[in-house]
């Protein structure tokens, strides 16, 4: 019987396993994860997942996998792939044969160089276990320091303030959200955090980090020092490519895949945070996306192609972040944009459109309460996918529906 093996039981791997059955694949499906839990959603970890007693949001329950005859192995790690024998070896010494293999190994938090944490006061936020370890620090009378002013750091800051902890956020660059978010929107978010009492310090450089039984001390340049009960490091992530590299697969800012998500071995696919792929929407530029929707979509597409489909669709990059009552959404990539057009949707919601020198829409960034910008960002995403060059005056005019520009 044909056997498909999926390494990585996160969003991407779980969606791939479920999709194989939904497409009628009748062979063996084995989903393997290094965590001891069933696959769960990661976006809530920096939000409601930090609340006391909240269990993970399961992608599917145990009964669902059993009903679909999907074997889920948890608490084991793949250590080696034998491409000639088409087997995978695991940390418990067992091996598993495959006809086709999907690597959905994800990414891990980037660590501070030469900084250890034997006392557990220097942490990251990637897993449910991480949220459990942070919960005792997220309450009134505690101080949490966060290194990194990206989505994870800022979402954690908002959650910590709602739970009563004081927050000091340290960012090495001149502003928060330097990666992919316009300065105008970043400034608005920074002001919102400041209004909640978050102490944001940008342009700082760390000289050393020391933890004791009582606290963690962060020494900054210019003799500044920050003391907190815990330091959470959120300075980006590193794709988990070691397994693929040991197997001799091509690596290029992640496991290198083609437009069908195949690696350099035609029987091995890769998807999600661990892989880089050519984007037809941006001149076949090789991208590696770290987002919930990308992981989900690529898992579904990889499963289809493992069963013989020829799905080479490439989605437009899309990101979102919830902080307090605000939701930020970004579609596309603004690199290379020469013009920014603002579209005011209401007094507290707007979208920025990013156009290149030829007038092609490259990206759209919006912010507002709740779902205020969701529809416009979705339509902008469709305009980007279609390669449209919309009239800037029409983009700026909220009375002209983006749907009209898409139909034009």
């Amino acid at each position: 019987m044909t056997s498909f093996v999926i390494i990585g039981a996160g969003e991407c791997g779980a969606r791939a396993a479920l999709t194989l059955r939904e497409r009628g694949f009748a062979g063996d499906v084995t989903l393997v994860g290094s965590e001891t839990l069933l696959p769960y959603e990661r976006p809530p970890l920096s939000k409601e997942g930090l609340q006391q007693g909240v269990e993970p949001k399961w992608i599917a329950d145990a009964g669902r996998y059993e009903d679909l005859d999907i074997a889920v192995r948890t608490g084991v790690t793949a250590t080696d792939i034998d491409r000639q024998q088409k087997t995978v070896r695991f940390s418990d010494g067992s091996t598993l044969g495959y006809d086709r293999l999907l690597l959905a190994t994800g990414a891990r938090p980037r660590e501070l160089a030469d900084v250890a944490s034997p006392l557990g006061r220097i942490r990251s936020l990637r897993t449910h276990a991480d949220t459990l370890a942070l919960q005792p620090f997220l309450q009134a009378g505690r101080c949490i320091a966060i290194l990194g002013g990206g989505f994870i750091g800022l979402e954690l800051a908002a959650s910590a303030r709602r739970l009563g902890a004081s927050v000091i956020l340290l960012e090495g660059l001149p502003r928060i959200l330097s990666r992919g978010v316009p300065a105008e929107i970043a400034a608005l978010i920074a002001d919102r955090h400041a209004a909640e009492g978050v102490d944001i310090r940008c342009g700082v450089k760390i000289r050393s980090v020391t933890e004791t039984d009582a606290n963690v001390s962060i020494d900054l340049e210019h003799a500044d020092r920050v003391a907190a009960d815990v330091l959470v490091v959120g300075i980006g992530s590193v794709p988990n490519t070691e397994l693929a590299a040991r197997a001799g697969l091509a690596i290029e800012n992640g496991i290198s895949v083609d437009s069908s998500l195949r690696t350099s071995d035609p029987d091995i696919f890769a998807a999600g945070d661990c892989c880089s792929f050519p984007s037809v929407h941006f001149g076949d530029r090789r991208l590696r996306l770290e987002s919930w929707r990308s992981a989900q979509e690529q898992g579904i597409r990889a499963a289809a192609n493992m069963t013989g489909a020829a799905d080479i669709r490439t989605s437009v990059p899309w990101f979102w972040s919830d902080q307090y009552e605000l939701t930020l959404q970004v579609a596309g990539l603004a690199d290379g944009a020469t013009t920014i057009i603002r579209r005011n949707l209401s007094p507290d919601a707007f979208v920025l459109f990013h156009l290149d020198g030829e007038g092609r829409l490259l990206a759209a960034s919006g912010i507002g309460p709740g779902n205020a910008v969701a529809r416009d960002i979705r339509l902008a995403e469709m305009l980007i996918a279609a390669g449209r060059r919309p009239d800037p005056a029409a983009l700026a005019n909220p009375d002209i529906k983006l749907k009209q520009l898409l139909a034009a």
Side-chain angles (χ1 to χ4, degrees), residues 89-107:
R89 180 173 294 278
F90 297 97
S91 54
D92 62 0
S94 64
T95 60
L96 189 62
Y98 68 86
D99 291 289
R100 286 193 169 163
L101 176 67
L102 172 61
L103 301 179
T105 49

Side-chain angles (χ1 to χ4, degrees), residues 134-359:
L134 284 174
Q135 283 177 352
F137 300 102
L138 301 179
Q139 53 187 284
R142 294 297 191 108
C143 177
I144 177 172
I146 300 170
L147 179 59
F151 287 157
I152 290 295
L154 291 165
E155 289 172 2
L156 174 58
S159 296
R161 288 300 299 131
R162 281 182 166 168
L163 293 170
S166 61
V167 179
I168 302 170
L169 189 141
L170 307 172
E171 168 58 55
L173 295 175
R175 68 169 175 89
I176 62 170
L177 296 172
S178 294
R179 182 183 172 190
V181 176
E184 185 175 354
I185 291 179
L188 190 154
I189 292 176
D191 289 344
R192 184 68 185 85
H193 278 278
E196 291 290 333
V198 177
D199 180 1
I200 297 180
R201 306 182 192 183
C202 294
V204 300
K205 296 190 182 301
I206 292 178
R207 294 195 305 178
S208 64
V209 178
T210 306
E211 63 174 357
T212 68
D213 290 333
N215 63 20
V216 58
S217 179
I218 306 108
D219 287 323
L220 309 176
E221 287 189 351
H222 311 300
D224 292 328
R225 174 175 292 179
V226 170
D229 292 292
V230 66
L231 169 65
V232 182
V233 179
I235 54 175
S237 64
V238 179
N240 293 321
T241 61
E242 291 79 6
L243 178 66
R246 284 195 297 272
L249 300 178
I251 307 295
E252 186 178 353
N253 184 30
I255 304 170
S256 180
V257 298
D258 63 15
S259 55
S260 64
L261 299 175
R262 269 190 172 88
T263 69
S264 50
D265 183 320
D267 289 324
I268 302 178
F269 294 71
D273 293 8
C274 68
C275 81
S276 67
F277 62 93
S279 172
V280 66
H281 304 300
F282 297 94
D284 285 334
R285 170 183 169 187
R286 187 162 286 278
L287 304 178
R288 186 177 71 83
L289 300 179
E290 300 170 14
S291 75
W292 170 83
R293 194 172 81 176
S294 177
Q296 184 180 84
E297 290 179 346
Q298 288 189 4
I300 292 170
R301 188 151 54 92
N305 290 336
M306 289 171 75
T307 59
D311 188 346
I312 60 172
R313 293 173 296 169
T314 302
S315 299
V316 172
W318 177 83
F319 308 89
W320 101 99
S321 179
D322 293 327
Q323 297 171 43
Y324 309 109
E325 79 287 356
L326 297 176
T327 296
L328 161 66
Q329 293 194 25
V330 179
L333 299 172
D335 300 359
T338 60
T339 303
I340 298 179
I341 305 296
R342 176 168 172 147
R343 181 185 186 93
N344 291 315
L345 304 179
S346 70
D348 53 1
F350 64 90
V351 175
L352 301 178
F353 298 98
H354 308 261
L355 310 174
D356 67 11
E358 298 179 352

